[in-house]
Amino acid sequence: VTLKVLDIPRYQRLDLSTTVNYPPKQKYFIYGDSTRTIMSHVISKLPDFQHTVTLAKRPPFLTEKMLEQGVMAEVEQIEGSPLEVDGKVIAPLQRSCYEISFKGER
């Protein structure tokens, strides 16, 4: 099987110590270029999940420069711990629109 790596958006060592807590809100790393905008979930502790989505378009408040560098954002309506249904962790983005918060240029 031939495999082509499309992206390695971000790498962070996962702290497996018992002192780590889930963040208050779900965190995603948003990055891209002039042709695409991608959100990749930031794994914080286990159990957790990997979730990557391509947005339909670049949000108007994110510049191309911000996308090229990447922006850490929190999804306001989603708690930081994983969403579980019937004992299985599932991706929490179940709607098509969410509010996010981030620190960045204006």
Side-chain angles (χ1 to χ4, degrees):
V1 173
T2 302
L3 176 69
K4 180 180 178 184
V5 176
L6 298 177
D7 284 303
I8 302 177
R10 183 175 180 277
Y11 175 81
Q12 178 178 332
R13 183 183 155 277
L14 185 61
D15 185 346
L16 298 176
S17 69
T18 57
T19 60
V20 176
N21 295 313
Y22 290 111
K25 304 291 180 190
Q26 286 291 338
K27 290 188 177 192
Y28 279 77
F29 185 66
I30 305 174
Y31 65 101
D33 55 32
S34 62
T35 63
R36 63 190 179 144
T37 302
I38 299 166
M39 283 182 39
S40 181
H41 177 254
V42 177
I43 296 173
S44 56
K45 71 175 264 183
L46 298 178
D48 216 332
F49 61 94
Q50 177 58 50
H51 186 222
T52 302
V53 295
T54 301
L55 303 182
K57 62 182 181 177
R58 175 177 53 88
F61 50 82
L62 293 177
T63 65
E64 282 190 39
K65 180 180 178 183
M66 291 169 76
L67 285 182
E68 289 171 2
Q69 294 177 345
V71 174
M72 188 69 68
E74 291 184 341
V75 181
E76 290 299 321
Q77 299 91 340
I78 303 177
E79 294 295 320
S81 57
L83 176 61
E84 289 191 42
V85 175
D86 296 327
K88 294 181 182 179
V89 174
I90 65 168
L93 299 180
Q94 302 296 313
R95 301 187 337 231
S96 62
C97 186
Y98 291 92
E99 291 181 23
I100 66 167
S101 62
F102 68 95
K103 293 180 181 177
E105 67 184 44
R106 185 166 166 89

